[in-house]
Amino acid sequence: MALFHAGKLMRVVHIINGLEVGGAEMMLVKLLRATDPTRARSTVVSLTTTGVLGSEVRAAGVDLTALGLRAPGSVPAGLRRLRRLLVEIEPDVVQTWLYKSDLLGGLAVQTLPRRRPALVWGVRQSALDRHRSSRSNRLAAWLSTRLSARWPDAILCNAAEVLADHAAAGYDRGRMLVIHNGFDLREFRPDPEAAAAVRHELGVGGSPLVGLVARVDPQKDHATFLDAAELVLQALPDTRFLLCGLGADATNPLFSRVSPALARALLLLGVRRDVARLTASLDVAVSSSLFGEGMPNAIGEAMACAVPCVVTDVGGSAGLVGDTGRVVPAGRADLLAEALVETLAMAVAERAARGEAARHRIASGYSIEAAAEQYLALYEEVATRVRDRRDR
């Protein structure tokens, strides 16, 4: 650690598939904002485009390059450009995020002509479902399994369940460690004024408000959530359901197949940049994921807002909420609905106490400041190890 504190600023390059709104992408943005600039200088490389979050990366004072990879035929040229960029920067650490970035970033590092930096892979979801996950993701994970004992100097997981699933699949257990997602308790906090404003804007008044903040994807299992919402309406007809994220809008045919009663109760907001104020307005937040979840950012953010959560037992969701929320099996609309009705039916004081316990849990073990410190400590450790090995 002293190597970088004694006048040498550590150089870190983050390589990620893209910068649209998603869990890994948002965690990267939060990490960049929280990284101590006197200890590390960061650069971000997007394999595709600058996306929605590119402006936030640059606002954090971080250099950003997008390689524009769109089809397999563009990979060789993109890889050459990535290698040239790494030669120019001479990073101490390359951190890759998600399977495809692990592979392409790892290949670029392995083929550098000189001074190979430390390589940290990022694994951020639990076991892939072979029937529902994309073929390209399954192939990238399969190749990564076979290269995990050779390429990365460390394999960073965001939950113990993610580590266990990948170790069982064949990843090199000796290189794996866990650093949980971190959450910004200043941005995500109880905010009665914002909550009242959101409820007024949406026209829900004092109705019970359930939120699902997630892109529409088979992994997130909106279909089961909608089935559960139908059941909730039978018990609590005034309930409203706020959905936001990519694909959560009225143009998606998924939402045209619901009953007229549920259609009137749905608030389909699509991609939003004011997630913190929307979350503060909720009575309950939900993660209905069916498979592949790592540690859902939306649930940690809801907990930081003192909102009780109901989650499915997938990946690190149960470990995140602990005893502050409800955990149900994946794919069970009946049990998801039951947990939602029971939470909404709590006395106001009891639900508020659950929410406060949730916020305390985030503050005590999942702050973004603590996570950023752990990332920097890991980078310093692997960079020093690689340097010492290189200098022998």
Side-chain angles (χ1 to χ4, degrees):
M1 189 176 294
L3 169 69
F4 299 104
H5 288 173
K8 186 180 188 306
L9 193 66
M10 183 168 52
R11 293 298 305 267
V12 180
V13 171
H14 296 273
I15 302 174
I16 193 163
N17 296 358
L19 287 168
E20 299 303 333
V21 177
E25 296 82 0
M26 289 302 301
M27 181 58 201
L28 172 57
V29 170
K30 289 187 291 183
L31 177 64
L32 295 171
R33 291 171 178 162
T35 296
D36 184 348
T38 68
R39 293 170 61 185
R41 180 179 174 186
S42 301
T43 298
V44 171
V45 178
S46 167
L47 296 181
T48 53
T49 69
T50 58
V52 174
L53 297 176
S55 59
E56 298 196 27
V57 170
R58 291 190 172 112
V62 174
D63 293 335
L64 170 62
T65 297
L67 299 182
L69 303 187
R70 283 300 189 188
S74 64
V75 170
L79 187 60
R80 288 193 295 271
R81 187 179 174 196
L82 177 57
R83 290 176 68 250
R84 288 196 298 269
L85 187 63
L86 294 178
V87 168
E88 177 185 334
I89 295 174
E90 292 193 337
D92 300 289
V93 178
V94 170
Q95 160 84 70
T96 57
W97 299 69
L98 307 170
Y99 299 125
K100 295 170 188 175
S101 295
D102 291 345
L103 278 180
L104 290 179
L107 183 58
V109 167
Q110 294 302 314
T111 57
L112 288 176
R114 62 183 184 277
R115 197 181 178 277
R116 186 181 77 79
L119 174 63
V120 179
W121 274 2
V123 180
R124 302 187 58 80
Q125 65 180 81
S126 53
L128 289 173
D129 186 302
R130 65 188 183 91
H131 299 296
R132 299 181 178 90
S133 301
S134 70
R135 182 179 180 183
S136 60
N137 251 2
R138 296 198 310 273
L139 176 60
W142 181 83
L143 289 170
S144 297
T145 299
R146 281 142 187 82
L147 294 167
S148 64
R150 296 167 51 197
W151 282 9
D153 298 288
I155 302 170
L156 179 56
C157 306
N158 63 345
E161 294 81 2
V162 172
L163 188 155
D165 282 349
H166 285 78
Y171 271 64
D172 184 355
R173 176 65 180 82
R175 298 171 190 243
M176 303 178 81
L177 74 156
V178 174
I179 299 178
H180 293 129
N181 287 354
F183 304 98
D184 187 341
L185 284 104
R186 291 167 296 186
E187 179 180 7
F188 289 89
R189 57 186 174 82
D191 189 341
E193 290 185 8
V198 168
R199 285 173 170 270
H200 176 73
E201 292 164 15
L202 298 177
V204 300
S207 296
L209 188 57
V210 175
L212 173 60
V213 179
R215 70 185 186 280
V216 178
D217 183 276
Q219 177 185 320
K220 303 300 183 180
D221 199 9
H222 283 70
T224 292
F225 175 80
L226 293 174
D227 288 343
E230 296 273 15
L231 296 173
V232 171
L233 281 181
Q234 294 176 21
L236 300 170
D238 292 338
T239 306
R240 297 294 177 263
F241 303 92
L242 184 158
L243 289 82
C244 69
L246 187 64
D249 58 57
T251 66
N252 191 322
L254 174 68
F255 303 109
S256 66
R257 297 193 288 267
V258 302
S259 71
L262 181 56
R264 291 190 294 271
L266 290 178
L267 304 164
L268 303 174
L269 306 185
V271 176
R272 294 285 292 246
R273 306 303 302 142
D274 58 344
V275 173
R277 64 192 291 272
L278 295 177
T279 301
S281 74
L282 301 176
D283 292 303
V284 184
V286 177
S287 172
S288 55
S289 294
L290 185 60
F291 65 90
E293 192 65 75
M295 176 172 285
N297 281 312
I299 292 302
E301 290 165 356
M303 293 170 69
C305 290
V307 174
C309 299
V310 175
V311 303
T312 52
D313 192 7
V314 177
S317 297
L320 178 60
V321 301
D323 60 1
T324 70
R326 292 289 303 276
V327 180
V328 300
R332 289 290 303 272
D334 56 337
L335 297 180
L336 181 60
E338 180 182 299
L340 286 170
V341 169
E342 290 178 359
T343 304
L344 291 171
M346 288 178 180
V348 173
E350 182 181 0
R351 197 165 64 237
R354 285 284 186 98
E356 285 302 322
R359 180 170 170 82
H360 176 75
R361 184 172 177 82
I362 295 299
S364 61
Y366 298 91
S367 73
I368 187 58
E369 292 80 10
E373 178 58 37
Q374 292 176 67
Y375 271 85
L376 277 177
L378 171 64
Y379 295 161
E380 290 170 344
E381 190 274 325
V382 293
T384 301
R385 189 184 344 135
V386 168
R387 181 211 60 179
D388 290 347
R389 186 168 64 233
R390 192 170 57 227
D391 291 346
R392 287 192 189 116

